[in-house]
């Protein structure tokens, strides 16, 4: 498996991967694939943090981190993470997260927030955001809103997370 930065020629395959992966997702509004396209056109988009997982030239997974504001700090949101159903539960999502975290830390980001499964993301080191005094700008159960500290020596941040307008949640 190869994990690499997305390129424009990947966009159609990514659209299909994200749409297909979220069709059977427990918590989905069915528009994650459209969100990806909208975020690419926004100021929150970070090309280096939009990664694909590829096997034999076929894109089978995708992850996107975009900029969020926590008070005056610019940090990251992980959304979406998508793996084709036939490749799920094989560690591909975890490898995409690890690669994204590594690149984000190299780029100087301190934190990543995620709204997601309280059983999956803690396996990757995500902790309840409440512990960091980081809050979402919308109602969500505490156990589903998490933070990952990308570097040990990063400056502490706290406050309410403001997402790119494309998320439609601020």
């Amino acid at each position: 498996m190869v994990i690499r930065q997305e390129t424009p020629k990947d966009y159609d395959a990514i659209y299909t991967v994200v749409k297909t992966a979220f069709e059977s997702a427990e918590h989905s509004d069915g528009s994650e694939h459209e969100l990806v396209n909208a975020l690419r056109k926004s100021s929150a988009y970070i090309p280096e943090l939009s990664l694909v997982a590829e096997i034999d030239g076929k894109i089978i997974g995708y992850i996107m981190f975009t900029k969020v504001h926590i008070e005056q700090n610019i940090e990251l949101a992980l959304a979406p993470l998508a793996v084709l159903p036939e490749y799920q539960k094989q560690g591909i999502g975890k490898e995409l997260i690890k690669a994204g975290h590594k690149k984000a830390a190299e780029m100087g980001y301190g934190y990543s927030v995620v709204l997601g499964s309280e059983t999956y993301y803690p396996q990757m080191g995500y902790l309840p955001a409440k512990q960091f005094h980081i809050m979402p700008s919308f109602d969500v159960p505490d156990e589903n809103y998490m933070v990952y500290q990308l570097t040990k020596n990063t400056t502490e941040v706290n406050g309410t997370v403001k997402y790119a307008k494309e998320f439609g949640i601020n």
Side-chain angles (χ1 to χ4, degrees):
M1 179 176 66
V2 173
I3 295 178
R4 62 171 175 79
Q5 182 178 328
E6 73 174 7
T7 66
K9 70 178 177 54
D10 300 323
Y11 291 175
D12 289 343
I14 291 166
Y15 185 91
T16 301
V17 166
V18 175
K19 184 176 184 186
T20 304
F22 280 95
E23 281 174 346
S24 60
E26 185 179 348
H27 302 288
S28 169
D29 67 3
S31 67
E32 288 83 1
H33 53 291
E34 299 295 349
L35 175 62
V36 169
N37 286 343
L39 286 168
R40 278 194 197 107
K41 298 172 188 160
S42 79
S43 61
Y45 177 59
I46 308 165
E48 299 87 347
L49 293 176
S50 293
L51 307 173
V52 297
E54 203 176 50
I55 294 178
D56 296 328
K58 177 184 179 181
I59 294 175
I60 51 118
Y62 180 70
I63 193 167
M64 177 182 256
F65 293 86
T66 52
K67 295 176 192 172
V68 294
H69 291 268
I70 305 174
E71 301 307 323
Q72 72 278 12
N73 300 290
I74 297 175
E75 300 298 346
L76 300 172
L78 186 173
L81 169 63
V83 176
L84 287 173
E86 61 269 29
Y87 292 93
Q88 290 176 5
K89 300 189 185 324
Q90 297 176 31
I92 294 163
K94 290 177 181 172
E95 290 303 315
L96 281 163
I97 292 170
K98 281 192 233 175
H101 284 172
K102 182 175 187 284
K103 183 67 178 170
E106 289 169 2
M107 294 175 73
Y109 292 100
Y111 297 90
S112 170
V113 297
V114 69
L115 170 60
S117 166
E118 72 278 5
T119 57
Y120 181 77
Y121 288 98
Q123 295 175 46
M124 298 305 300
Y126 279 84
L127 299 169
K130 196 174 183 179
Q131 291 181 13
F132 292 85
H133 305 286
I134 294 173
M135 287 82 56
S137 57
F138 50 92
D139 287 331
V140 61
D142 287 345
E143 66 269 15
N144 297 110
Y145 200 70
M146 295 163 269
V147 173
Y148 180 83
Q149 189 172 342
L150 294 160
T151 57
K152 291 191 186 333
N153 298 324
T154 194
T155 304
E156 186 177 315
V157 300
N158 53 64
T160 301
V161 179
K162 185 171 186 335
Y163 288 81
K165 69 179 180 344
E166 288 76 12
F167 279 96
I169 53 178
N170 287 327

